[in-house]
Amino acid sequence: MLFRNFVSLKKWVVYLTALALTLTLSALAIGQGASRDQTFIIGTSFNLKTLDPGRSFELTSILSNKALYETLVTLAEDGNGDVIPQLAESWQISADGLTYTFKLKSGISFSSGNPLTANDVVFSIERFQLLKGPASFLADTIDSVTATDASTVAVHLKQVDPALLSKLTVGNFGILDSKSLIANGGTDDVNADKSDQAENFLNSHSAGTGPYLLVSTDLSTEIVLARNASYRLGQAPFAEYILRNIPDAAVQGLTLQKGDIDVALDITADQVATLKGDSNVQIVPASPLITIFLGFNKKPEIAGGNVNQVLVEQAIRNALDYQGIDFLGGVGSITPATIIPVGINGALDASFAPARNLEQARTLLQQAGLPNGFQTTLEYPGSFTFGGIDFDVLAQKVQADLAEVGIKVTLAPEQIDAFFTRLRAGQIPFFISFWTPDFLDALNYTAFLPGGIYDGRTNWSAESNSAVYQQLKSQSTQVQITTDNAQRVELFKQIQLTLRDNGPLVSLIQPSLPVAASAKLKGFVFNPQWRVDPYIVSRQ
């Protein structure tokens, strides 16, 4: 109760601060040349390093990629995970499941006027692979891409990949104008990770076939897009499409109520009741497929000899007040069993989630030789709200929970880009992070299994001789080539039960993810993969 009172007081302070800040933001809220009615503005907390589709892997770039670039295939508008054609007219899968052949739609041109050809598809996918960016693991099963004629592309796989079509909907597979890119330093040469020089060009120009064009970029404040006059499906709904960095959730809500933005992506649960009472605002149903979690670095020299111990990790699992953490996310928030969120096919339901047991936590610490606890530092993105969760408040809750078993936690908030740079380098001992689905298939979460990208972030491979690690490594290899759905679900169940009790992560919350939008919008639905679909939203 004391913590909840503290949270309420903090939110009142934030609200009053926001009231002052929103007056300043109002002066910036009009579009860059278009009338307000012709401008669509999204308020969000920026998580952004680049607009280069081959190099991007942050939340904000997912939003911009969707508006600027198209992919061979995409998801149905209802967000149910069905894959439908976009730049491809049709596709065929070989009998052995190792070759996908795509026939391109005719008459499509890039914003430069250059026609879309199979060579552009080959260039774009090869460049994405060879840049070796943070999302390149999505293309790991692709062996080669070839143009069999000007409008036909064959994607050849190293192994059967039942999630390939889902992966190809991701914006990193956006098809680029190869002629424009090559003219501006782009390459799909084998050494592209060192020789490609097109990132600066793509941070200030777009090279796609999407409904919008890139006009201006400030990676810390605002991205401005404008209608692509030559878009193949006709005029885009708005003359301008703006992504605005508003890191404070309360400011997002107030700015939306003033009519200065059209969507507030990061409001918190306590704002929902107020916003529901405003006739100018609609609360949009969302599919909460976000997971927020604690992570442990397994390398002793980085972890300091405590949080890398299995007994300590299990003690922390038992010490956390999961019901209290769910309170922070509001009605509908749950504790997922593992990193795979409820709603993804193959995920365990919430009945398998961990539960608090303080007595067991203290026993485990005693068994670890730490009966009086220990001191540690918890790092996380500070001044950051996502999925309705204020990460500063969440970190304070974790700190309070662990203090009850003698673990004294010093909080170390960081600017989000700096945090992820260190996390990706495997340099953070103990952290809070989050994951949104890159594609809507449980195979996305093999990134957290042995051999996945989180091996490097947690240095779990340092424990590669452990029975648990080897078991999961074998199961991960098996599940990635299993096409029978019942077998996949059973394998994922086994994997998750092991991860829940022994992995280097502890799932904290799957938030209810409130999203607020202007009541004047029509066609606005929340998509769990890219959140906002620029193809279908318009103003009444």
Side-chain angles (χ1 to χ4, degrees):
M1 181 62 71
L2 182 62
F3 184 82
R4 293 188 183 191
N5 288 340
F6 165 76
V7 171
S8 297
L9 177 61
K10 181 180 186 293
K11 287 174 178 175
W12 270 108
V13 171
V14 169
Y15 182 85
L16 293 173
T17 304
L19 194 58
L21 288 174
T22 192
L23 296 176
T24 303
L25 284 171
S26 294
L28 300 174
I30 303 302
Q32 309 293 312
S35 68
R36 182 67 186 91
D37 283 346
Q38 281 293 303
T39 305
F40 180 62
I41 306 175
I42 298 173
T44 186
S45 185
F46 269 25
N47 171 214
L48 180 66
K49 292 186 70 174
T50 179
L51 296 184
D52 183 339
R55 292 180 166 95
S56 62
F57 197 45
E58 288 73 34
L59 292 169
T60 309
S61 58
I62 292 172
L63 287 167
S64 60
N65 281 345
K66 184 60 181 172
L68 297 170
Y69 300 98
E70 294 181 297
T71 45
L72 289 172
V73 291
T74 189
L75 296 177
E77 291 178 359
D78 59 11
N80 63 7
D82 289 341
V83 177
I84 61 174
Q86 191 167 58
L87 292 178
E89 178 180 90
S90 61
W91 62 87
Q92 293 182 335
I93 306 173
S94 63
D96 61 6
L98 293 175
T99 301
Y100 287 64
T101 303
F102 297 89
K103 186 70 175 179
L104 300 180
K105 293 176 180 176
S106 61
I108 298 177
S109 295
F110 293 99
S111 54
S112 65
N114 293 329
L116 169 71
T117 70
N119 288 332
D120 295 300
V121 177
V122 173
F123 174 90
S124 301
I125 296 177
E126 287 185 341
R127 177 177 181 268
F128 171 46
Q129 286 183 292
L130 295 167
L131 286 178
K132 302 176 184 177
S136 64
F137 70 94
L138 295 171
D140 279 351
T141 59
I142 297 177
D143 184 45
S144 64
V145 188
T146 57
T148 58
D149 61 43
S151 61
T152 308
V153 178
V155 178
H156 308 280
L157 303 183
K158 302 172 185 175
Q159 62 184 51
V160 172
D161 184 353
L164 179 70
L165 289 174
S166 293
K167 290 176 182 178
L168 291 176
T169 68
V170 179
N172 300 100
F173 286 102
I175 306 306
L176 307 173
D177 180 350
S178 60
K179 291 181 180 177
S180 293
L181 227 63
I182 291 169
N184 287 279
T187 181
D188 61 349
D189 179 83
V190 68
N191 295 314
D193 59 323
K194 300 178 181 65
S195 59
D196 184 274
Q197 302 295 317
E199 183 175 9
N200 287 338
F201 172 74
L202 291 170
N203 280 336
S204 55
H205 303 78
S206 49
T209 60
Y212 292 93
L213 309 174
L214 183 60
V215 174
S216 64
T217 307
D218 185 318
L219 295 178
S220 62
T221 60
E222 188 174 78
I223 301 169
V224 179
L225 316 180
R227 182 181 282 148
N228 178 2
S230 61
Y231 181 53
R232 63 191 176 90
L233 296 180
Q235 182 171 277
F238 296 96
E240 286 191 333
Y241 188 108
I242 297 175
L243 306 178
R244 179 159 294 146
N245 186 18
I246 307 177
D248 191 289
V251 175
Q252 281 191 32
L254 288 170
T255 309
L256 175 66
Q257 287 182 288
K258 286 177 63 64
D260 293 336
I261 62 175
D262 297 294
V263 176
L265 283 178
D266 306 303
I267 60 170
T268 54
D270 61 300
Q271 294 174 268
V272 174
T274 300
L275 292 171
K276 273 185 176 178
D278 188 331
S279 61
N280 295 315
V281 174
Q282 56 176 312
I283 301 297
V284 179
S287 300
L289 298 181
I290 296 167
T291 40
I292 300 174
F293 51 88
L294 278 179
F296 311 107
N297 200 306
K298 302 293 288 184
K299 203 168 189 177
E301 53 266 43
I302 292 175
N306 288 321
V307 295
N308 62 296
Q309 296 185 52
V310 172
L311 288 173
V312 171
E313 294 165 2
Q314 291 174 343
I316 289 173
R317 281 188 179 87
N318 281 276
L320 293 168
D321 170 22
Y322 297 99
Q323 287 187 337
I325 292 171
D326 285 349
F327 166 79
L328 301 179
V331 176
S333 295
I334 58 174
T335 306
T338 67
I339 188 65
I340 305 180
V342 177
I344 292 284
N345 183 37
L348 293 176
D349 64 51
S351 67
F352 287 90
R356 191 176 211 200
N357 187 331
L358 289 174
E359 183 178 348
Q360 178 68 4
R362 295 185 182 104
T363 298
L364 287 163
L365 286 173
Q366 190 166 19
Q367 292 174 359
L370 298 164
N372 299 315
F374 59 93
Q375 295 185 1
T376 189
T377 299
L378 178 64
E379 300 180 51
Y380 61 94
S383 301
F384 179 72
T385 299
F386 181 59
I389 302 296
D390 182 325
F391 273 54
D392 291 305
V393 174
L394 176 60
Q396 290 158 11
K397 173 59 177 164
V398 171
Q399 180 188 48
D401 289 351
L402 298 187
E404 293 188 54
V405 295
I407 301 175
K408 303 171 186 67
V409 176
T410 298
L411 301 182
E414 298 180 52
Q415 194 275 334
I416 191 166
D417 289 342
F419 170 83
F420 276 109
T421 296
R422 294 185 60 240
L423 180 63
R424 288 168 180 163
Q427 296 172 348
I428 303 183
F430 186 37
F431 58 87
I432 299 177
S433 190
F434 60 91
W435 187 270
T436 61
D438 304 302
F439 56 94
L440 301 185
D441 190 284
L443 285 180
N444 188 198
Y445 298 88
T446 58
F448 296 88
L449 297 178
I453 62 171
Y454 253 83
D455 256 13
R457 298 182 187 189
T458 60
N459 286 301
W460 198 13
S461 52
E463 299 290 303
S464 58
N465 291 325
S466 72
V468 167
Y469 188 92
Q470 292 298 336
Q471 173 192 332
L472 286 171
K473 186 175 182 180
S474 174
Q475 291 173 330
S476 176
T477 300
Q478 186 179 355
V479 79
Q480 290 183 62
I481 59 173
T482 299
T483 56
D484 180 86
N485 186 61
Q487 292 179 11
R488 291 180 80 218
V489 169
E490 180 58 31
L491 269 171
F492 273 117
K493 178 181 179 180
Q494 297 171 20
I495 287 167
Q496 289 170 90
L497 289 173
T498 303
L499 279 178
R500 181 192 62 182
D501 300 327
N502 299 286
L505 306 175
V506 180
S507 294
L508 296 176
I509 187 170
Q510 183 177 335
S512 57
L513 193 65
V515 174
S518 167
K520 295 180 180 179
L521 294 182
K522 65 178 180 179
F524 179 72
V525 295
F526 182 87
N527 182 290
Q529 185 161 308
W530 40 70
R531 298 193 285 170
V532 178
D533 190 334
Y535 297 86
I536 60 176
V537 63
S538 61
R539 201 181 302 281
Q540 295 183 24

